[in-house]
Amino acid sequence: MEAVSILAASVAGFATGAVWYMALSKPWIAASGVRVGADGRPMGGAAPFVVSFVVMLVVSGFMRHVFAGAGIATPGAGLVAGLGCGAFLIAPWIAMGNAYAGRPAALSVIDGGYAVLGCGAIGLVLTLV
């Protein structure tokens, strides 16, 4: 059952990113400086999506491990803990890396926002499934 919850949470985190970045694609492209094709879409093929899903599996698996040890079992607690992981662990790390790379603050806001919402979705689903 743990594998099912981790897989479902990974899908939720990935789907949250799909919605987030579709809604913010133009500001993200501008802030990230990613190369785009003639159609205006980021170049890179499927590789970033594969990496993203693998990362979602890793994050979901570790969050499941932490939740089990901490006794986080209700959807409300899972959501709050997930939001906290994104807001207080992942988003600051993203901001630090972007600051050292001289990237625009908007990139940290966009990517950090996804970290918060994506981890919130993962935490919620981990406690529902």
Side-chain angles (χ1 to χ4, degrees), residues 38-86:
D39 59 0
R41 299 174 86 173
M43 299 170 73
F49 298 101
V50 172
V51 170
S52 295
F53 192 75
V54 170
V55 168
M56 289 300 105
L57 285 169
V58 170
V59 170
S60 297
F62 190 71
M63 283 178 64
R64 171 74 181 95
H65 171 74
V66 170
F67 282 17
I72 298 169
T74 65
L79 176 62
V80 169
L83 292 170
C85 286

Side-chain angles (χ1 to χ4, degrees), residues 23-127:
L24 297 172
S25 65
K26 288 183 182 178
W28 179 82
I29 288 169
S32 70
V34 72
R35 295 183 334 146
V36 295
D39 59 0
R41 299 174 86 173
M43 299 170 73
F49 298 101
V50 172
V51 170
S52 295
F53 192 75
V54 170
V55 168
M56 289 300 105
L57 285 169
V58 170
V59 170
S60 297
F62 190 71
M63 283 178 64
R64 171 74 181 95
H65 171 74
V66 170
F67 282 17
I72 298 169
T74 65
L79 176 62
V80 169
L83 292 170
C85 286
F88 299 109
L89 296 174
I90 300 173
W93 209 286
I94 290 169
M96 179 181 62
N98 285 340
Y100 276 108
R103 297 318 240 337
L107 184 60
S108 295
V109 171
I110 293 168
D111 291 343
Y114 168 52
V116 173
L117 294 178
C119 285
I122 289 169
L124 178 63
V125 172
L126 285 173
T127 53

